[in-house]
Amino acid sequence: MHVFIIAPANQPGTLATALEAIAKRGVNVISGGGATWGNAGYIALQTNDDDGTRAALQESGTTFREVQAAAAWLDDQPGTFADAARRLGNAGVNIEAVFPIGMKDGKVGILFGVDNADAAQAALGALTGAAAG
């Protein structure tokens, strides 16, 4: 599982072009998030088909990179997100993207785009499967 970080120009329609290319391949965007600042912007996406997403973005000429992903299910209360981020930091894992992936049974799902998924999974420990069903 990967997170795709795309860098569309900060102007009307550029994100739509990338998403249309993904949709034309029959790929579903599951979750994502992003922000712009000045002329720069980045959108992080999780899809149901890494290969299809990669091909669609390449064919559309969209600037992107992909990183490994690690999910955590956090108690819906203050400090749990900070705890997960600290666990990753203490393990030397760099967080490249982060966005919510759902809520279930009092837990908030967070997907981290990281530079080392194995180390991230180990650092997050039991948080990786708490509500994953």
Side-chain angles (χ1 to χ4, degrees):
M1 172 175 47
H2 288 105
V3 170
F4 291 84
I5 302 171
I6 64 175
N10 188 10
Q11 57 190 349
T14 56
L15 177 59
T17 298
L19 295 174
E20 289 164 350
I22 292 169
K24 282 182 186 175
R25 283 193 160 266
V27 175
N28 188 34
V29 174
I30 298 169
S31 191
T36 64
W37 187 324
N39 292 327
Y42 298 95
I43 308 295
L45 302 173
Q46 176 193 23
T47 70
N48 67 337
D49 179 351
D50 287 350
D51 293 336
T53 301
R54 185 179 311 107
L57 293 173
Q58 288 170 340
E59 290 171 6
S60 70
T62 301
T63 301
F64 77 97
R65 64 190 185 92
E66 60 185 288
V67 297
Q68 299 171 351
W73 288 89
L74 312 176
D75 289 330
D76 187 14
Q77 62 186 30
T80 58
F81 194 6
D83 175 59
R86 176 54 55 209
R87 288 177 187 220
L88 294 172
N90 287 348
V93 175
N94 191 41
I95 300 169
E96 312 251 355
V98 61
F99 48 89
I101 55 173
M103 292 189 74
K104 183 176 180 180
D105 299 329
K107 304 275 187 188
V108 177
I110 302 291
L111 189 68
F112 293 94
V114 296
D115 63 348
N116 185 331
D118 291 336
Q121 294 295 116
L124 294 169
L127 299 176
T128 61

